Amino acid sequence: KMVCTTPYSCELERGMIDAVCQKFKSKEIAFVIVEHADKLPCRRKGADSCTYLVSWINSVGNNSRFEKSVVVRSRYMIV
């Protein structure tokens, strides 16, 4: 889970997160999924931040899906 407080639109922010995750994913990761958490606060709805759920799909053996449970409350840091 990522909480972002940048001044950018939800779509642009989601695209930037996805691009960085794709660029730096390991060889074992087949897919990265970045979803806007619509049920949580959103700047389009007047909130101060937007929340994104980041998942990695493992390509080694079992194709398991896992999520990194890190909350980021920074303007530009992606963990």
Side-chain angles (χ1 to χ4, degrees), residues 37-72:
D38 293 326
K39 294 182 181 179
L40 296 174
C42 175
R43 285 189 305 275
R44 277 187 294 203
K45 300 174 189 173
D48 292 333
S49 63
C50 283
T51 302
Y52 302 89
L53 304 175
V54 181
S55 302
W56 289 264
I57 307 298
N58 190 348
S59 64
V60 177
N62 58 7
N63 286 333
S64 62
R65 178 178 175 154
F66 61 96
E67 297 179 3
K68 185 168 182 157
S69 299
V70 175
V71 176
V72 178

mmCIF file of all heavy atoms in Angstrom, residues 37-72:
data_model
loop_
_atom_site.group_PDB
_atom_site.id
_atom_site.type_symbol
_atom_site.label_atom_id
_atom_site.label_comp_id
_atom_site.label_asym_id
_atom_site.label_seq_id
_atom_site.Cartn_x
_atom_site.Cartn_y
_atom_site.Cartn_z
ATOM 1 N N ALA A 37 -6.751 2.644 -4.882
ATOM 2 C CA ALA A 37 -7.667 2.130 -3.848
ATOM 3 C C ALA A 37 -8.871 3.060 -3.766
ATOM 4 O O ALA A 37 -8.880 4.038 -3.006
ATOM 5 C CB ALA A 37 -6.953 2.025 -2.515
ATOM 6 N N ASP A 38 -9.901 2.770 -4.552
ATOM 7 C CA ASP A 38 -11.055 3.659 -4.670
ATOM 8 C C ASP A 38 -11.866 3.801 -3.384
ATOM 9 O O ASP A 38 -12.540 4.799 -3.201
ATOM 10 C CB ASP A 38 -11.973 3.174 -5.794
ATOM 11 C CG ASP A 38 -11.313 3.304 -7.155
ATOM 12 O OD1 ASP A 38 -10.548 4.265 -7.344
ATOM 13 O OD2 ASP A 38 -11.569 2.443 -8.011
ATOM 14 N N LYS A 39 -11.800 2.823 -2.508
ATOM 15 C CA LYS A 39 -12.583 2.891 -1.273
ATOM 16 C C LYS A 39 -11.887 3.698 -0.180
ATOM 17 O O LYS A 39 -12.479 3.985 0.848
ATOM 18 C CB LYS A 39 -12.891 1.484 -0.769
ATOM 19 C CG LYS A 39 -13.799 0.719 -1.708
ATOM 20 C CD LYS A 39 -14.127 -0.651 -1.184
ATOM 21 C CE LYS A 39 -15.017 -1.373 -2.196
ATOM 22 N NZ LYS A 39 -15.356 -2.720 -1.755
ATOM 23 N N LEU A 40 -10.633 4.074 -0.405
ATOM 24 C CA LEU A 40 -9.874 4.878 0.557
ATOM 25 C C LEU A 40 -9.880 6.335 0.112
ATOM 26 O O LEU A 40 -10.293 6.644 -1.003
ATOM 27 C CB LEU A 40 -8.456 4.334 0.678
ATOM 28 C CG LEU A 40 -8.357 2.913 1.240
ATOM 29 C CD1 LEU A 40 -6.924 2.412 1.190
ATOM 30 C CD2 LEU A 40 -8.886 2.866 2.655
ATOM 31 N N PRO A 41 -9.445 7.263 0.975
ATOM 32 C CA PRO A 41 -9.450 8.681 0.605
ATOM 33 C C PRO A 41 -8.731 8.940 -0.722
ATOM 34 O O PRO A 41 -7.759 8.280 -1.060
ATOM 35 C CB PRO A 41 -8.702 9.346 1.765
ATOM 36 C CG PRO A 41 -8.913 8.433 2.920
ATOM 37 C CD PRO A 41 -8.935 7.055 2.331
ATOM 38 N N CYS A 42 -9.230 9.930 -1.469
ATOM 39 C CA CYS A 42 -8.678 10.267 -2.780
ATOM 40 C C CYS A 42 -8.725 11.787 -2.955
ATOM 41 O O CYS A 42 -9.674 12.437 -2.517
ATOM 42 C CB CYS A 42 -9.500 9.579 -3.859
ATOM 43 S SG CYS A 42 -9.023 10.020 -5.538
ATOM 44 N N ARG A 43 -7.717 12.332 -3.611
ATOM 45 C CA ARG A 43 -7.696 13.782 -3.843
ATOM 46 C C ARG A 43 -8.849 14.235 -4.738
ATOM 47 O O ARG A 43 -9.333 15.349 -4.609
ATOM 48 C CB ARG A 43 -6.349 14.196 -4.432
ATOM 49 C CG ARG A 43 -5.254 14.187 -3.381
ATOM 50 C CD ARG A 43 -3.978 14.792 -3.897
ATOM 51 N NE ARG A 43 -3.495 14.155 -5.116
ATOM 52 C CZ ARG A 43 -2.752 13.063 -5.144
ATOM 53 N NH1 ARG A 43 -2.392 12.490 -4.038
ATOM 54 N NH2 ARG A 43 -2.357 12.550 -6.292
ATOM 55 N N ARG A 44 -9.296 13.371 -5.654
ATOM 56 C CA ARG A 44 -10.458 13.729 -6.479
ATOM 57 C C ARG A 44 -11.702 13.941 -5.641
ATOM 58 O O ARG A 44 -12.610 14.652 -6.034
ATOM 59 C CB ARG A 44 -10.750 12.637 -7.501
ATOM 60 C CG ARG A 44 -9.921 12.722 -8.736
ATOM 61 C CD ARG A 44 -10.412 11.707 -9.720
ATOM 62 N NE ARG A 44 -10.145 10.377 -9.174
ATOM 63 C CZ ARG A 44 -10.037 9.278 -9.873
ATOM 64 N NH1 ARG A 44 -10.216 9.314 -11.157
ATOM 65 N NH2 ARG A 44 -9.776 8.133 -9.302
ATOM 66 N N LYS A 45 -11.727 13.293 -4.458
ATOM 67 C CA LYS A 45 -12.871 13.407 -3.555
ATOM 68 C C LYS A 45 -12.613 14.422 -2.447
ATOM 69 O O LYS A 45 -13.350 14.479 -1.476
ATOM 70 C CB LYS A 45 -13.181 12.044 -2.940
ATOM 71 C CG LYS A 45 -13.526 10.983 -3.961
ATOM 72 C CD LYS A 45 -13.674 9.635 -3.279
ATOM 73 C CE LYS A 45 -13.811 8.515 -4.290
ATOM 74 N NZ LYS A 45 -13.781 7.205 -3.655
ATOM 75 N N GLY A 46 -11.509 15.197 -2.568
ATOM 76 C CA GLY A 46 -11.218 16.240 -1.588
ATOM 77 C C GLY A 46 -10.242 15.849 -0.492
ATOM 78 O O GLY A 46 -9.959 16.654 0.404
ATOM 79 N N ALA A 47 -9.702 14.649 -0.539
ATOM 80 C CA ALA A 47 -8.734 14.212 0.487
ATOM 81 C C ALA A 47 -7.355 14.805 0.195
ATOM 82 O O ALA A 47 -7.113 15.358 -0.877
ATOM 83 C CB ALA A 47 -8.653 12.693 0.513
ATOM 84 N N ASP A 48 -6.449 14.689 1.144
ATOM 85 C CA ASP A 48 -5.086 15.198 0.999
ATOM 86 C C ASP A 48 -4.156 14.210 0.305
ATOM 87 O O ASP A 48 -3.021 14.555 -0.005
ATOM 88 C CB ASP A 48 -4.496 15.539 2.368
ATOM 89 C CG ASP A 48 -5.195 16.725 3.015
ATOM 90 O OD1 ASP A 48 -5.731 17.573 2.272
ATOM 91 O OD2 ASP A 48 -5.205 16.799 4.250
ATOM 92 N N SER A 49 -4.609 12.980 0.095
ATOM 93 C CA SER A 49 -3.727 11.961 -0.476
ATOM 94 C C SER A 49 -4.539 10.934 -1.253
ATOM 95 O O SER A 49 -5.759 10.902 -1.167
ATOM 96 C CB SER A 49 -2.954 11.253 0.639
ATOM 97 O OG SER A 49 -3.855 10.571 1.494
ATOM 98 N N CYS A 50 -3.817 10.113 -2.015
ATOM 99 C CA CYS A 50 -4.403 8.959 -2.697
ATOM 100 C C CYS A 50 -3.631 7.719 -2.261
ATOM 101 O O CYS A 50 -2.441 7.795 -1.948
ATOM 102 C CB CYS A 50 -4.297 9.098 -4.207
ATOM 103 S SG CYS A 50 -5.489 10.231 -4.902
ATOM 104 N N THR A 51 -4.300 6.586 -2.263
ATOM 105 C CA THR A 51 -3.685 5.335 -1.853
ATOM 106 C C THR A 51 -3.682 4.372 -3.034
ATOM 107 O O THR A 51 -4.675 4.247 -3.748
ATOM 108 C CB THR A 51 -4.454 4.715 -0.674
ATOM 109 O OG1 THR A 51 -4.468 5.664 0.401
ATOM 110 C CG2 THR A 51 -3.795 3.431 -0.193
ATOM 111 N N TYR A 52 -2.545 3.700 -3.213
ATOM 112 C CA TYR A 52 -2.375 2.728 -4.295
ATOM 113 C C TYR A 52 -1.968 1.393 -3.699
ATOM 114 O O TYR A 52 -1.210 1.343 -2.730
ATOM 115 C CB TYR A 52 -1.304 3.209 -5.278
ATOM 116 C CG TYR A 52 -1.654 4.546 -5.861
ATOM 117 C CD1 TYR A 52 -1.250 5.707 -5.230
ATOM 118 C CD2 TYR A 52 -2.412 4.639 -7.003
ATOM 119 C CE1 TYR A 52 -1.601 6.948 -5.738
ATOM 120 C CE2 TYR A 52 -2.755 5.869 -7.520
ATOM 121 C CZ TYR A 52 -2.361 7.020 -6.882
ATOM 122 O OH TYR A 52 -2.719 8.236 -7.386
ATOM 123 N N LEU A 53 -2.466 0.320 -4.268
ATOM 124 C CA LEU A 53 -2.098 -1.029 -3.848
ATOM 125 C C LEU A 53 -1.153 -1.588 -4.899
ATOM 126 O O LEU A 53 -1.495 -1.636 -6.085
ATOM 127 C CB LEU A 53 -3.342 -1.909 -3.731
ATOM 128 C CG LEU A 53 -4.419 -1.364 -2.794
ATOM 129 C CD1 LEU A 53 -5.654 -2.248 -2.847
ATOM 130 C CD2 LEU A 53 -3.899 -1.234 -1.382
ATOM 131 N N VAL A 54 0.039 -1.996 -4.482
ATOM 132 C CA VAL A 54 1.054 -2.507 -5.392
ATOM 133 C C VAL A 54 1.224 -3.995 -5.138
ATOM 134 O O VAL A 54 1.463 -4.411 -4.006
ATOM 135 C CB VAL A 54 2.400 -1.771 -5.192
ATOM 136 C CG1 VAL A 54 3.444 -2.283 -6.167
ATOM 137 C CG2 VAL A 54 2.215 -0.267 -5.334
ATOM 138 N N SER A 55 1.082 -4.800 -6.201
ATOM 139 C CA SER A 55 1.233 -6.256 -6.102
ATOM 140 C C SER A 55 2.234 -6.720 -7.136
ATOM 141 O O SER A 55 2.333 -6.154 -8.218
ATOM 142 C CB SER A 55 -0.097 -6.957 -6.366
ATOM 143 O OG SER A 55 -1.088 -6.532 -5.473
ATOM 144 N N TRP A 56 2.968 -7.774 -6.781
ATOM 145 C CA TRP A 56 3.922 -8.382 -7.693
ATOM 146 C C TRP A 56 3.484 -9.806 -7.947
ATOM 147 O O TRP A 56 3.154 -10.538 -7.021
ATOM 148 C CB TRP A 56 5.316 -8.397 -7.075
ATOM 149 C CG TRP A 56 5.949 -7.054 -6.992
ATOM 150 C CD1 TRP A 56 6.818 -6.522 -7.886
ATOM 151 C CD2 TRP A 56 5.791 -6.077 -5.967
ATOM 152 N NE1 TRP A 56 7.201 -5.268 -7.481
ATOM 153 C CE2 TRP A 56 6.589 -4.971 -6.296
ATOM 154 C CE3 TRP A 56 5.038 -6.019 -4.794
ATOM 155 C CZ2 TRP A 56 6.670 -3.830 -5.525
ATOM 156 C CZ3 TRP A 56 5.110 -4.880 -4.015
ATOM 157 C CH2 TRP A 56 5.914 -3.810 -4.375
ATOM 158 N N ILE A 57 3.490 -10.231 -9.213
ATOM 159 C CA ILE A 57 3.140 -11.603 -9.579
ATOM 160 C C ILE A 57 4.437 -12.355 -9.833
ATOM 161 O O ILE A 57 5.211 -12.004 -10.723
ATOM 162 C CB ILE A 57 2.244 -11.652 -10.831
ATOM 163 C CG1 ILE A 57 1.019 -10.756 -10.676
ATOM 164 C CG2 ILE A 57 1.846 -13.085 -11.161
ATOM 165 C CD1 ILE A 57 0.093 -11.146 -9.558
ATOM 166 N N ASN A 58 4.666 -13.397 -9.055
ATOM 167 C CA ASN A 58 5.888 -14.189 -9.126
ATOM 168 C C ASN A 58 5.842 -15.121 -10.323
ATOM 169 O O ASN A 58 4.854 -15.808 -10.543
ATOM 170 C CB ASN A 58 6.014 -14.987 -7.822
ATOM 171 C CG ASN A 58 7.335 -15.654 -7.660
ATOM 172 O OD1 ASN A 58 8.122 -15.727 -8.590
ATOM 173 N ND2 ASN A 58 7.588 -16.145 -6.480
ATOM 174 N N SER A 59 6.923 -15.164 -11.102
ATOM 175 C CA SER A 59 6.950 -16.040 -12.283
ATOM 176 C C SER A 59 7.705 -17.341 -12.040
ATOM 177 O O SER A 59 7.777 -18.176 -12.914
ATOM 178 C CB SER A 59 7.605 -15.302 -13.450
ATOM 179 O OG SER A 59 8.960 -15.017 -13.161
ATOM 180 N N VAL A 60 8.233 -17.524 -10.846
ATOM 181 C CA VAL A 60 9.024 -18.719 -10.545
ATOM 182 C C VAL A 60 8.109 -19.785 -9.954
ATOM 183 O O VAL A 60 7.557 -19.605 -8.883
ATOM 184 C CB VAL A 60 10.169 -18.390 -9.559
ATOM 185 C CG1 VAL A 60 10.933 -19.645 -9.197
ATOM 186 C CG2 VAL A 60 11.089 -17.353 -10.151
ATOM 187 N N GLY A 61 7.936 -20.872 -10.668
ATOM 188 C CA GLY A 61 7.212 -22.031 -10.146
ATOM 189 C C GLY A 61 5.733 -21.824 -9.943
ATOM 190 O O GLY A 61 4.941 -22.106 -10.820
ATOM 191 N N ASN A 62 5.317 -21.287 -8.810
ATOM 192 C CA ASN A 62 3.917 -21.333 -8.413
ATOM 193 C C ASN A 62 3.084 -20.123 -8.836
ATOM 194 O O ASN A 62 1.904 -20.081 -8.558
ATOM 195 C CB ASN A 62 3.815 -21.505 -6.895
ATOM 196 C CG ASN A 62 4.509 -20.394 -6.145
ATOM 197 O OD1 ASN A 62 4.969 -19.411 -6.730
ATOM 198 N ND2 ASN A 62 4.580 -20.539 -4.833
ATOM 199 N N ASN A 63 3.665 -19.133 -9.487
ATOM 200 C CA ASN A 63 2.936 -17.932 -9.910
ATOM 201 C C ASN A 63 2.130 -17.312 -8.779
ATOM 202 O O ASN A 63 1.011 -16.848 -8.978
ATOM 203 C CB ASN A 63 2.011 -18.232 -11.091
ATOM 204 C CG ASN A 63 2.786 -18.405 -12.370
ATOM 205 O OD1 ASN A 63 3.866 -17.845 -12.519
ATOM 206 N ND2 ASN A 63 2.256 -19.181 -13.280
ATOM 207 N N SER A 64 2.672 -17.291 -7.579
ATOM 208 C CA SER A 64 1.952 -16.723 -6.457
ATOM 209 C C SER A 64 1.939 -15.203 -6.541
ATOM 210 O O SER A 64 2.824 -14.581 -7.097
ATOM 211 C CB SER A 64 2.593 -17.169 -5.141
ATOM 212 O OG SER A 64 3.913 -16.702 -5.072
ATOM 213 N N ARG A 65 0.905 -14.618 -5.997
ATOM 214 C CA ARG A 65 0.763 -13.164 -5.953
ATOM 215 C C ARG A 65 1.067 -12.706 -4.535
ATOM 216 O O ARG A 65 0.613 -13.306 -3.572
ATOM 217 C CB ARG A 65 -0.661 -12.768 -6.336
ATOM 218 C CG ARG A 65 -0.893 -11.275 -6.267
ATOM 219 C CD ARG A 65 -2.302 -10.940 -6.702
ATOM 220 N NE ARG A 65 -2.542 -9.524 -6.513
ATOM 221 C CZ ARG A 65 -3.414 -8.828 -7.191
ATOM 222 N NH1 ARG A 65 -4.143 -9.403 -8.106
ATOM 223 N NH2 ARG A 65 -3.581 -7.549 -6.960
ATOM 224 N N PHE A 66 1.857 -11.661 -4.426
ATOM 225 C CA PHE A 66 2.114 -11.126 -3.096
ATOM 226 C C PHE A 66 2.142 -9.619 -3.150
ATOM 227 O O PHE A 66 2.359 -9.008 -4.188
ATOM 228 C CB PHE A 66 3.412 -11.689 -2.498
ATOM 229 C CG PHE A 66 4.653 -11.366 -3.291
ATOM 230 C CD1 PHE A 66 5.447 -10.282 -2.944
ATOM 231 C CD2 PHE A 66 5.028 -12.143 -4.369
ATOM 232 C CE1 PHE A 66 6.588 -9.995 -3.664
ATOM 233 C CE2 PHE A 66 6.173 -11.858 -5.096
ATOM 234 C CZ PHE A 66 6.960 -10.783 -4.743
ATOM 235 N N GLU A 67 1.855 -8.999 -2.015
ATOM 236 C CA GLU A 67 1.838 -7.553 -1.911
ATOM 237 C C GLU A 67 2.873 -7.115 -0.899
ATOM 238 O O GLU A 67 3.088 -7.787 0.101
ATOM 239 C CB GLU A 67 0.466 -7.057 -1.466
ATOM 240 C CG GLU A 67 -0.626 -7.378 -2.456
ATOM 241 C CD GLU A 67 -1.986 -6.908 -2.015
ATOM 242 O OE1 GLU A 67 -2.073 -6.271 -0.947
ATOM 243 O OE2 GLU A 67 -2.949 -7.193 -2.723
ATOM 244 N N LYS A 68 3.500 -6.003 -1.168
ATOM 245 C CA LYS A 68 4.442 -5.431 -0.212
ATOM 246 C C LYS A 68 3.658 -4.482 0.672
ATOM 247 O O LYS A 68 3.049 -3.537 0.187
ATOM 248 C CB LYS A 68 5.554 -4.701 -0.948
ATOM 249 C CG LYS A 68 6.620 -4.199 -0.030
ATOM 250 C CD LYS A 68 7.837 -3.746 -0.799
ATOM 251 C CE LYS A 68 8.883 -3.294 0.179
ATOM 252 N NZ LYS A 68 10.206 -3.352 -0.354
ATOM 253 N N SER A 69 3.651 -4.737 1.942
ATOM 254 C CA SER A 69 2.875 -3.932 2.870
ATOM 255 C C SER A 69 3.723 -2.802 3.448
ATOM 256 O O SER A 69 4.211 -2.875 4.559
ATOM 257 C CB SER A 69 2.339 -4.803 3.999
ATOM 258 O OG SER A 69 1.510 -5.791 3.478
ATOM 259 N N VAL A 70 3.890 -1.770 2.663
ATOM 260 C CA VAL A 70 4.659 -0.604 3.092
ATOM 261 C C VAL A 70 3.797 0.620 2.833
ATOM 262 O O VAL A 70 3.235 0.780 1.765
ATOM 263 C CB VAL A 70 5.979 -0.471 2.297
ATOM 264 C CG1 VAL A 70 6.699 0.802 2.663
ATOM 265 C CG2 VAL A 70 6.863 -1.676 2.556
ATOM 266 N N VAL A 71 3.662 1.466 3.823
ATOM 267 C CA VAL A 71 2.918 2.705 3.657
ATOM 268 C C VAL A 71 3.931 3.827 3.512
ATOM 269 O O VAL A 71 4.812 3.989 4.345
ATOM 270 C CB VAL A 71 1.990 2.969 4.863
ATOM 271 C CG1 VAL A 71 1.293 4.304 4.708
ATOM 272 C CG2 VAL A 71 0.977 1.849 4.993
ATOM 273 N N VAL A 72 3.803 4.598 2.451
ATOM 274 C CA VAL A 72 4.726 5.700 2.185
ATOM 275 C C VAL A 72 3.949 6.998 2.293
ATOM 276 O O VAL A 72 2.950 7.181 1.613
ATOM 277 C CB VAL A 72 5.337 5.573 0.770
ATOM 278 C CG1 VAL A 72 6.260 6.738 0.490
ATOM 279 C CG2 VAL A 72 6.071 4.260 0.636
#
